[in-house]
């Protein structure tokens, strides 16, 4: 009888050990060997002021600040965040595959994307705008872009939107990247650059560009930036929304806007109300 009691006790201990091991396996992606739990967050790494990876390997930008704040509220230390580049075309796939926990990457909420992923937020209301040289006073409205050379990156619809709806005689110029457009704008090869005002402000705020450019402030579209996450994860969505609400309430949101966009004179919209998507 005594032997049977010992065996039963040993079996109970073994069962507990196996249960603990199984729990550890479930958390494998979020755990560091010998360290705290990890989280992988998708961001852009080539948009100054939004999400940028510096030559030194540091991540900076408004989206990075938002992602770091949210992760902290979810229980993750900054040192345990892994930022992963997610290009625009890959965002939904990265979420569905589980490559990232969520994405903070100038990710506009729209009906098409909502068929594939869920969004927390919005955390920023941006607008399509144009960037011009600081000394240019000839472009005072979108219509003034008629007969002007308007630059955007290859594959973007921003410039075409302007031509289709506002300035049919605009001369579209497609460059490989925004940096090339900025060089063309500075050298007067083009007259204006168009995309989201938050992205334009980020480029204009770089030390090398300070004082050279200005935003026109046309607000041609509404772009509600949200945090993308796996569809149906209501618990995570609520936690992120709670974190964003706190970020606005304690002033951290305003500080992040000023730090990342302030040098460009970016007249940002007030922090949007969570769940309120402006059409």
């Amino acid at each position: 009888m005594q032997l049977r009691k010992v065996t039963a006790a040993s079996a109970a201990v073994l069962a507990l050990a196996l249960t603990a091991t199984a729990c550890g396996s479930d958390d494998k992606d979020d755990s560091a060997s010998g360290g705290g739990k990890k989280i992988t967050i998708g961001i852009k790494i080539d948009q100054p002021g939004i999400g940028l990876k510096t030559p030194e390997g540091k991540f900076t930008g408004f989206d990075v600040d938002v992602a770091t704040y949210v992760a902290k509220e979810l229980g993750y230390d900054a040192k345990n965040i892994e930022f992963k580049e997610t290009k625009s075309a890959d965002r939904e796939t990265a979420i569905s595959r589980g490559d990232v926990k969520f994405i903070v990457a100038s990710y506009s909420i729209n009906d098409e994307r909502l068929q594939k992923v869920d969004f927390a937020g919005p955390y920023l209301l941006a607008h399509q705008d144009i960037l011009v040289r600081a000394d240019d006073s000839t472009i005072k409205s979108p219509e003034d872009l008629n007969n002007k050379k308007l630059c955007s990156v290859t594959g973007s619809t921003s410039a075409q939107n302007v031509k289709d709806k506002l300035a049919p005689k605009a001369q579209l110029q497609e460059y490989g990247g925004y940096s090339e457009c900025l060089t063309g704008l500075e050298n007067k090869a083009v007259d204006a650059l168009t995309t989201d005002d938050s992205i334009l402000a980020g480029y204009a705020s770089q030390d090398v560009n300070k004082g050279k450019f200005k935003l026109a402030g046309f607000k041609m579209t509404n772009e509600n930036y949200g945090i993308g996450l796996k569809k149906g994860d209501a618990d995570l969505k609520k936690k992120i929304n709670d974190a964003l609400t706190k970020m606005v309430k304690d002033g951290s949101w305003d500080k992040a806007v000023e730090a990342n966009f302030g040098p460009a004179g970016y007249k940002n919209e007030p922090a949007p109300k969570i769940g309120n998507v402006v059409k």
Side-chain angles (χ1 to χ4, degrees):
M1 290 291 292
Q2 185 66 27
L3 178 60
R4 290 176 65 184
K5 287 182 180 178
V6 172
T7 302
S10 300
V13 171
L14 178 59
L16 287 172
L18 289 172
T19 301
T21 302
C23 290
S25 298
D26 289 341
D27 292 336
K28 184 177 180 181
D29 290 340
D30 288 335
S31 300
S33 54
K37 57 182 180 177
K38 296 278 189 179
I39 186 171
T40 303
I41 302 173
I43 60 167
K44 292 289 183 68
I45 65 169
D46 58 354
Q47 292 182 345
I50 297 288
L52 181 71
K53 184 177 182 180
T54 68
E56 298 76 27
K58 182 180 179 182
F59 296 96
T60 66
F62 181 71
D63 281 356
V64 174
D65 291 344
V66 170
T68 302
Y69 188 100
V70 169
K72 181 180 179 182
E73 290 301 305
L74 294 178
Y76 299 91
D77 293 333
K79 65 182 180 181
N80 289 325
I81 298 173
E82 178 189 354
F83 287 118
K84 183 179 182 70
E85 180 184 13
T86 48
K87 296 181 179 180
S88 296
D90 301 330
R91 288 179 295 205
E92 287 84 21
T93 301
I95 291 172
S96 64
R97 278 199 314 234
D99 296 344
V100 295
K101 190 73 171 178
F102 55 82
I103 289 179
V104 193
S106 55
Y107 201 0
S108 296
I109 302 170
N110 63 37
D111 292 338
E112 181 181 352
R113 290 169 180 162
L114 283 168
Q115 300 300 313
K116 303 174 184 177
V117 299
D118 279 344
F119 283 97
Y123 64 90
L124 183 71
L125 175 58
H127 307 280
Q128 186 181 340
D129 200 355
I130 67 164
L131 194 71
V132 297
R133 290 180 293 276
D135 60 356
D136 188 344
S137 59
T138 65
I139 303 175
K140 299 177 181 178
S141 71
E143 291 73 23
D144 291 332
L145 291 168
N146 280 308
N147 300 313
K148 298 283 189 179
K149 293 179 181 178
L150 178 63
C151 189
S152 192
V153 298
T154 303
S156 170
T157 59
S158 298
Q160 191 63 49
N161 287 341
V162 173
K163 185 175 178 67
D164 289 345
K165 300 174 183 178
L166 299 168
K169 295 182 180 179
Q171 301 171 26
L172 304 189
Q173 307 286 318
E174 285 193 339
Y175 284 30
Y178 291 117
S179 295
E180 295 174 42
C181 279
L182 281 169
T183 299
L185 184 57
E186 184 177 5
N187 296 335
K188 300 185 178 182
V190 297
D191 301 301
L193 161 61
T194 186
T195 188
D196 293 357
D197 54 6
S198 56
I199 297 173
L200 295 174
Y203 276 101
S205 294
Q206 287 184 292
D207 288 341
V208 69
N209 294 325
K210 285 180 182 177
K212 295 180 180 179
F213 310 106
K214 64 183 179 182
L215 284 124
F218 291 159
K219 299 184 178 181
M220 294 179 281
T221 63
N222 292 323
E223 306 294 338
N224 298 273
Y225 288 1
I227 295 181
L229 62 147
K230 187 168 290 188
K231 197 162 185 64
D233 195 340
D235 181 59
L236 179 60
K237 180 177 178 178
K238 182 182 184 303
K239 288 178 179 178
I240 294 176
N241 279 337
D242 288 345
L244 292 173
T245 300
K246 182 178 179 181
M247 185 178 186
V248 173
K249 188 174 181 179
D250 69 15
S252 298
W253 188 91
D254 287 317
K255 290 179 181 177
V257 168
E258 179 59 30
N260 292 292
F261 304 129
Y266 176 48
K267 295 179 175 61
N268 64 283
E269 298 281 3
K273 182 179 179 182
I274 300 301
N276 183 27
V277 176
V278 179
K279 298 294 185 179

